[in-house]
Amino acid sequence: MARGSRARKRQRVAAAVCVAGVAVVWFAAEHPGWALGITCLLVVLLAGGLVLRQRMIRAERQRFLAANVELEKVDRMSGPEFEHLVAERMIADGFRQVRQRGGAGDRGVDITALAPGHGRYAIQCKRYGKPVGARDVRDFLGALANTFAGHTGVLVTSAGLTKQARLEALGAREPLILVERDRLADWLLGTVSLLPARSAGMLTEEEAT
């Protein structure tokens, strides 16, 4: 009984769409001037709506980032919340196609993104209360060498890295971009950028020691 009711409802909707389509075609043929004017008005309204929506999204992102610039708040975040913060900061930074992947099946990478003119990036987020160890770095480098080959690797942590972990990161064929606690604070404030044109954020050998 329910199936028959749903089928009849779909038929009525399809019939209504057909009637509306015929009416639109007839109106356009009989009143081309009015049809063109209405079409232009709808296009303008749609474009204006999209612009307004994008502005609202940007404003909401700025409010969110402004409310979470303090490391004390970051320290109270869960792992997924930290990943979301990093993703939003990357969008504000100028990255495109930012996608959160964290969770089961992320294959060792929490976020992927595209840096215009600089290729694809793979980001690992560590909301830790202790330094990131060498094993974590090796696992990330393994993901970059396999599933995410060709991506620039970025390790973002709310803590720091052990000396051995830094050496692992710097000794890789393609050294990781490291965003440790102090640089994270500057990045969240917007005073530095991860985009290569402004600031790569990599440590030197001297800094690693």
Side-chain angles (χ1 to χ4, degrees):
M1 191 73 174
R3 288 183 179 178
S5 177
R6 287 196 295 269
R8 288 192 295 272
K9 184 177 180 179
R10 286 195 294 269
Q11 290 173 355
R12 289 195 294 270
V13 170
V17 171
C18 289
V19 170
V22 170
V24 169
V25 171
W26 173 84
F27 183 82
E30 293 294 319
H31 308 283
W34 278 99
L36 179 60
I38 292 172
T39 300
C40 291
L41 177 60
L42 290 175
V43 169
V44 170
L45 291 174
L46 178 60
L50 291 174
V51 170
L52 180 60
R53 182 173 181 272
Q54 289 300 316
R55 287 180 178 176
M56 292 175 64
I57 291 174
R58 286 196 295 269
E60 179 60 31
R61 176 174 298 117
Q62 291 302 320
R63 284 193 292 269
F64 172 74
L65 292 173
N68 291 281
V69 295
E70 298 175 0
L71 292 178
E72 290 77 7
K73 291 187 177 180
V74 173
D75 291 337
R76 294 194 293 269
M77 289 182 174
S78 64
E81 288 172 338
F82 183 54
E83 292 167 17
H84 177 64
L85 175 63
V86 171
E88 290 295 305
R89 182 63 253 175
M90 293 189 75
I91 294 172
D93 217 19
F95 285 86
R96 301 290 181 263
Q97 300 178 25
V98 178
R99 177 188 172 195
Q100 286 183 246
R101 307 172 50 91
D106 64 11
R107 298 186 179 183
V109 167
D110 296 314
I111 301 169
T112 53
L114 175 67
H118 299 282
R120 297 195 172 276
Y121 280 55
I123 299 87
Q124 177 64 260
C125 302
K126 295 295 185 185
R127 213 295 296 155
Y128 279 8
K130 61 180 181 179
V132 176
R135 180 176 178 180
D136 291 315
V137 171
R138 286 194 294 269
D139 289 344
F140 186 30
L141 290 173
L144 293 171
N146 295 285
T147 308
F148 297 91
H151 289 63
T152 297
V154 183
L155 178 59
V156 183
T157 176
S158 58
L161 278 77
T162 64
K163 180 179 178 179
Q164 185 59 40
R166 288 197 191 93
L167 293 175
E168 293 272 358
L170 291 167
R173 180 177 299 177
E174 294 294 335
L176 297 179
I177 294 175
L178 302 178
V179 183
E180 299 182 71
R181 191 172 181 86
D182 289 344
R183 183 168 293 275
L184 175 63
D186 292 335
W187 186 45
L188 292 177
L189 286 170
T191 57
V192 298
S193 170
L194 295 189
L195 286 176
R198 295 170 60 190
S199 175
M202 287 190 289
L203 297 177
T204 64
E205 290 285 355
E206 289 77 16
E207 287 176 308
T209 58

